[in-house]
Amino acid sequence: MEIERDLFTIKEASEWATEYLGKNVTNSNIMYLIQYGRIKGIKRNGTTLISRDDLIGYYDSHQDGRKVKWKEQLGKDLNWRLSFEEFKEAETTKHVHRLHPYKGKFIPQLVEYFLDSHTDDFKKEVYFQKGDIVLDPFCGSGTTLIQANELGIHAIGIDISAFNAFMSNIKIEKHSLVDICKENKNITNALRRHYHESNIPKFEAKLTEALNRFNEKYFPSPDFRFQVRSGQIDQDKYGAEKEKIFLEIYTNLTEQYGIDLRIDKDSERFIDKWYLPSIRDEIDYVLQLIEKVENSDTRDVLKLILSRTARSCRATTHADLATLVEPVTKSYYCAKHGKVCRPLFSILSWWERYSDDTVKRLSEFNRLRTDTYQVCLTDDSRTIDIFATLKDVNPEFANLAQEKKIQGIFSSPPYVGMIDYHEQHAYAYEFFGFERKDHLEIGPLVKGQSKLAKDSYVADISKVLVNCKQFLAPDYNVLLVANDKFGLYPVTAENSGMSIVNQYKRPVLNRTEKDKGAYSEIIFHLKGKD
Ligand SMILES: C[S@@+](CC[C@H](N)C(=O)[O-])C[C@H]1O[C@@H](n2cnc3c(N)ncnc32)[C@H](O)[C@@H]1O
């Protein structure tokens, strides 16, 4: 069959769109657009064709539409190139960047943009060369360290939160993957035995069977969602009704199998409040096996896997995983999945999944790593003596740093009253006994966004810059990523004896923990005044 020149088959359309947009567009992306009426599918002799004009119309209006809407909300000076929208989620969470969740992470492509040696219409100079040292005084989950390593740049990170430093160092360090796999296999086998010796598998089998039957009957897919979208069903009312019916089945089964659902909702301790007893039991079981592992580095990697597992197994609904609301120990109607869901009673499947994923990610990064130094120090960036502290951890690196000095800073400071960085990993502090230093966190959520909070924020960030300045080379560059909605950075720069020489304003589209609203960040470029 001859196909008219401006009509594409689905495969041709995906190839054409991939080239047109400069990012991968799959056959299913095109089919999705047809199915949801965004572009028209033309039937010819049993083949679906799409007009090129139709595709151009859709992609142009869609992309421009978003740019125009965002620019209206966030200002005309938004630099669209820094949205990195051409990167898929797999790339923005590549290799070790997704070893553990962390709220407040920046995307690796942003770090790369400022650390690498390219220039363009916006970035007119190169800030860091191979062999230089970059400092991140708010290291978080270690994104700067990892990207610096990929680019052959040395890096020093500092974070007040012991868990964040632990996570960053595991990401950046070399490990014996053979030993990790061996120990992990032993623990996984022991956990499987532990699980099968309990009453949980029998209970879960019955519960899953009952739940599947119930959901097929009352929430058939995709009809149920279609009826909700077209207004034929009031999801809240219907969901609440059916939730109540299933709860009876759920309660009967938990009683029949003697499943303990007791948690202490009022406890100060995170693990008493957010974990069902069977999950707690398995976490304690795995933890004591990890403690017996001989190699301390392997122990740490296994702890990180357990921490990620524990985070996924908190007693909460699927919708509230990012921001906990109330502990949930019963079955519930889940608007996210359009059916009744249930809490978890075992960590086994997450443990297995994250074990494989961790080894895969660590070995992916091994293939990219350069032979350079990176480390995260656990300390307060306002007061730390960077070279002295580094000397205790890595004397060779400390010598190099003392000799060369640090060429600059790339960092995203906490913003005033947004996140409690220790609290987001409270479970890890309790399970592993890391020391908490919440009182030394700059701009935590608990202190709010009052005038007083803003003033002390400005004073604290200035202290960090003044302290770090002592360790920087004379012609240093400081690049700070911030959503400065209160306009606190000009005075912070002034207080630190620096001036803002440039500002890059970027739209944020690819955040790992997504919320969908328009949001922008500024990358402030500061230099020393003297
Ligand atoms: C926005 S996050 C950095 C995220 C990081 N860019 C990433 O990609 O993972 C800010 C970090 O600053 C840390 N922090 C807060 N107060 C600090 C202080 N006084 N000294 C050092 N680090 C601090 C927090 O623990 C948090 O991890």
Side-chain angles (χ1 to χ4, degrees), residues 35 205 216 330 345 350 383 436 451 515 530:
Q35 199 179 340
E216 268 162 35
K330 298 174 187 153
F345 295 91
W350 283 115
T383 49
R436 284 182 73 142
K451 165 97 174 57
D515 63 48
D530 18 64

Side-chain angles (χ1 to χ4, degrees), residues 102 104-106 137-143 158-161 164 379-382 412-414 421 440-442:
Y102 173 90
K105 183 161 24 201
F106 43 36
F138 302 105
C139 179
S141 61
T143 317
I158 306 165
D159 206 286
I160 191 63
S161 147
N164 296 352
D379 217 317
D380 185 340
S381 292
R382 287 168 293 193
S412 65
Y421 284 96
L440 295 178
E441 251 184 52
I442 296 174

